[in-house]
Amino acid sequence: MTIAELNYQRKLAGLPLIRFDLVRLNPEDIEDLRDAYAAMYEISSLAIGDSRGYTAFARGHGYDLDLCHDDNRIFLTWHRSYIYAFEKALSSALKWKRGDDKLELTMPYWDWT
């Protein structure tokens, strides 16, 4: 069972979704992430301006709109919201790409310590 499938089951049960350490992902989980990113790029190329696409998120973070708040007091709040929205878009893109609504993708974390 992949993380996306497990998280779908957790969502149905009313439990919080979980994230895993990047170095502990299975090949199937990495494939889910790759497919989700590919789908976001595809959405950007098929529907220019679609807020679900990768370009829309890149613009919001600083590609050309520079809405990012790296240098002020709302940095943590802004990035937490941004990552949540990005994670939801990744999950939506994976569902669209695979035609499977029974997936809930979460972004892995990187334990830099």
Side-chain angles (χ1 to χ4, degrees):
M1 177 177 286
T2 67
I3 293 170
E5 293 166 340
L6 173 64
N7 274 327
Y8 178 75
Q9 295 298 320
R10 291 180 64 83
K11 182 179 179 180
L12 289 179
L15 298 170
L17 304 184
I18 53 177
R19 296 185 176 110
F20 289 90
D21 188 344
L22 184 63
V23 299
R24 302 180 80 197
L25 295 180
N26 294 323
E28 297 84 11
D29 299 318
I30 294 169
E31 187 68 25
D32 284 351
L33 283 168
R34 286 183 176 149
D35 284 353
Y37 273 94
M40 284 184 77
Y41 285 123
E42 190 174 342
I43 290 168
S44 288
S45 66
L46 291 174
I48 296 170
D50 190 325
S51 64
R52 300 171 304 147
Y54 185 84
T55 302
F57 281 92
R59 291 184 77 202
H61 198 270
Y63 167 63
D64 68 353
L65 291 179
D66 199 18
L67 300 175
C68 183
H69 295 276
D70 283 337
D71 61 349
N72 62 32
R73 295 185 309 171
I74 66 169
F75 166 77
L76 293 175
T77 306
W78 189 89
H79 273 91
R80 184 179 185 122
S81 174
Y82 178 83
I83 293 298
Y84 177 77
F86 187 80
E87 184 175 71
K88 292 299 175 195
L90 271 176
S91 189
S92 175
L94 182 62
K95 291 174 186 179
W96 170 75
K97 181 82 170 172
R98 300 245 180 102
D100 186 355
D101 286 337
K102 296 180 179 178
L103 300 169
E104 282 297 326
L105 188 65
T106 53
M107 291 181 58
Y109 65 87
W110 175 47
D111 185 0
W112 58 273
T113 60

